[in-house]
Amino acid sequence: KKRKKRMNEKKEFPENTREDSLNEETKSLISSLPSHKDFLGKQLYNYQGCWYYPNTLQGVLNFQKGFKPQETDIILASFPKSGTTWLKALTIALFERFNNTSSSNHPLQSDNPHGLVPFLEMSLYHKTSTPDLTKFSSSPRLFSTHMPFHTLQAPFKDDSSRCKIVYVCRNVKDVLVSQWYFSGVGYFEPFWDIVLSYWRGSLEDPQHVLFMRYEEMKSEPSAQVKRLAEFLGCPFTEEEHGSLDKILELCSLRSLSREVGDSNNHLTPQMETKIDMIIEEKYKGSGFKY
């Protein structure tokens, strides 16, 4: 089962592990970058402190070169298996409620959240630095990413283009179980540094960066959805009776509570102790805690 689960991880974006989309500039760059092989023998390259498969790295470089941010843009960020789909669905539902869309015609009923909120580096900018963004003519434009905060910030050169960024963080133990493996070098790792990049970004610029915790959706879903809505500039009004409950139900947030703390069913006490020691070391002095 574990092997099958691991293989499925790589099937999600199979093209990103290859090198067929690399231009000559990127080929020259990766020859100078630190490299490592993952557990399947696939080559990874370290760029700006994060490990990428070749074609994903090309997407990152294309994004940094060609993305033209708008002030109204919203970028949903996360580490893989940390609540990405939930955050996308929730954000779509928050804005869609203004369109008086019936439940049968709701975008989430006909399309996957990943199709509605595409990844910048693994979808839109995967093969070109000038993708066709005409279908994102409405405001706000919604995008997603697994890139670290400092890499994502490259196109944001002035205050007028600083859009809003929402990062969802999940307890590393549950992330490990969700991925079914743990290695020192993996896709979009190191986990610790990426989490801290967004944590520090939220402390330095809380008006543009919101840091959310996956686990808090279990204990206080309504409060967290309201917090997200306020940050995105679409708060609930007193007249919107029942809208919050409908969104919670539509996005199946209650079902996520069964996934919180699942690591207790898979990790031994010794494994948990070791991970706790790593967490303490990596986050020491940052003020961040799970």
Side-chain angles (χ1 to χ4, degrees):
K1 287 184 178 180
K2 287 186 178 182
R3 180 173 179 80
K4 183 177 181 180
K5 186 77 172 183
R6 291 175 180 178
M7 294 300 293
N8 286 338
E9 291 287 336
K10 302 307 173 190
K11 291 179 180 178
E12 185 175 1
F13 293 100
E15 294 183 351
N16 295 290
T17 63
R18 304 200 303 263
E19 300 187 15
D20 55 347
S21 294
L22 303 186
N23 58 36
E24 293 303 317
E25 183 179 359
T26 302
K27 290 179 181 178
S28 176
L29 172 63
I30 66 174
S31 66
S32 65
L33 295 176
S35 62
H36 199 283
K37 290 185 178 180
D38 69 2
F39 64 88
L40 290 177
K42 301 294 185 180
Q43 200 71 37
L44 291 160
Y45 297 94
N46 191 290
Y47 176 69
Q48 296 185 344
C50 186
W51 293 96
Y52 300 99
Y53 289 119
N55 282 2
T56 304
L57 176 56
Q58 180 66 72
V60 171
L61 297 173
N62 287 341
F63 160 78
Q64 290 187 321
K65 179 181 180 180
F67 183 63
K68 299 297 188 292
Q70 298 179 5
E71 187 178 4
T72 55
D73 286 348
I74 294 173
I75 299 179
L76 309 179
S78 64
F79 188 81
K81 302 301 179 183
S82 296
T84 309
T85 305
W86 157 73
L87 183 58
K88 290 183 179 184
L90 183 57
T91 304
I92 293 167
L94 284 174
F95 285 106
E96 194 62 31
R97 78 186 200 271
F98 298 118
N99 295 330
N100 297 317
T101 306
S102 64
S103 58
S104 59
N105 294 325
H106 199 284
L108 291 174
Q109 299 288 358
S110 58
D111 200 350
N112 186 284
H114 295 299
L116 297 169
V117 187
F119 283 99
L120 291 165
E121 68 277 20
M122 293 188 294
S123 179
L124 292 176
Y125 288 86
H126 185 212
K127 296 183 178 181
T128 177
S129 60
T130 58
D132 181 8
L133 300 181
T134 55
K135 70 176 182 178
F136 297 98
S137 58
S138 60
S139 181
R141 302 189 302 179
L142 302 180
F143 305 112
S144 66
T145 185
H146 287 324
M147 289 182 280
F149 184 68
H150 54 272
T151 300
L152 177 65
Q153 286 289 288
F156 301 91
K157 299 178 180 179
D158 55 67
D159 289 341
S160 63
S161 64
R162 292 171 69 189
C163 64
K164 291 189 176 182
I165 299 169
V166 181
Y167 184 81
V168 58
C169 173
R170 187 180 180 188
N171 189 304
V172 65
K173 296 177 184 178
D174 290 334
V175 172
L176 298 183
V177 170
S178 182
Q179 290 185 320
W180 280 101
Y181 66 92
F182 177 48
S183 61
V185 177
Y187 195 30
F188 284 110
E189 293 186 357
F191 176 88
W192 329 99
D193 295 344
I194 294 178
V195 171
L196 283 179
S197 71
Y198 284 97
W199 169 251
R200 289 167 176 156
S202 69
L203 295 179
E204 295 171 0
D205 190 7
Q207 290 186 334
H208 292 93
V209 185
L210 176 66
F211 192 95
M212 301 190 73
R213 299 172 187 272
Y214 185 92
E215 290 74 21
E216 288 180 343
M217 296 310 301
K218 176 183 178 180
S219 59
E220 47 184 28
S222 296
Q224 290 302 308
V225 173
K226 289 180 179 179
R227 178 171 171 245
L228 176 61
E230 290 175 1
F231 175 78
L232 296 178
C234 56
F236 290 92
T237 65
E238 294 183 0
E239 290 75 21
E240 290 185 283
H241 299 296
S243 293
L244 179 57
D245 290 336
K246 289 181 180 179
I247 289 177
L248 291 173
E249 187 64 32
L250 176 65
C251 298
S252 301
L253 296 181
R254 294 185 180 87
S255 65
L256 294 178
S257 63
R258 296 193 295 270
E259 300 175 12
V260 176
D262 187 49
S263 60
N264 296 330
N265 299 319
H266 300 270
L267 303 179
T268 65
Q270 292 79 10
M271 294 166 68
E272 292 209 51
T273 298
K274 183 175 181 179
I275 295 174
D276 286 338
M277 292 175 65
I278 296 175
I279 291 173
E280 183 177 357
E281 175 188 354
K282 297 294 184 180
Y283 295 149
K284 184 177 181 180
S286 68
F288 173 76
K289 294 181 179 180
Y290 287 113

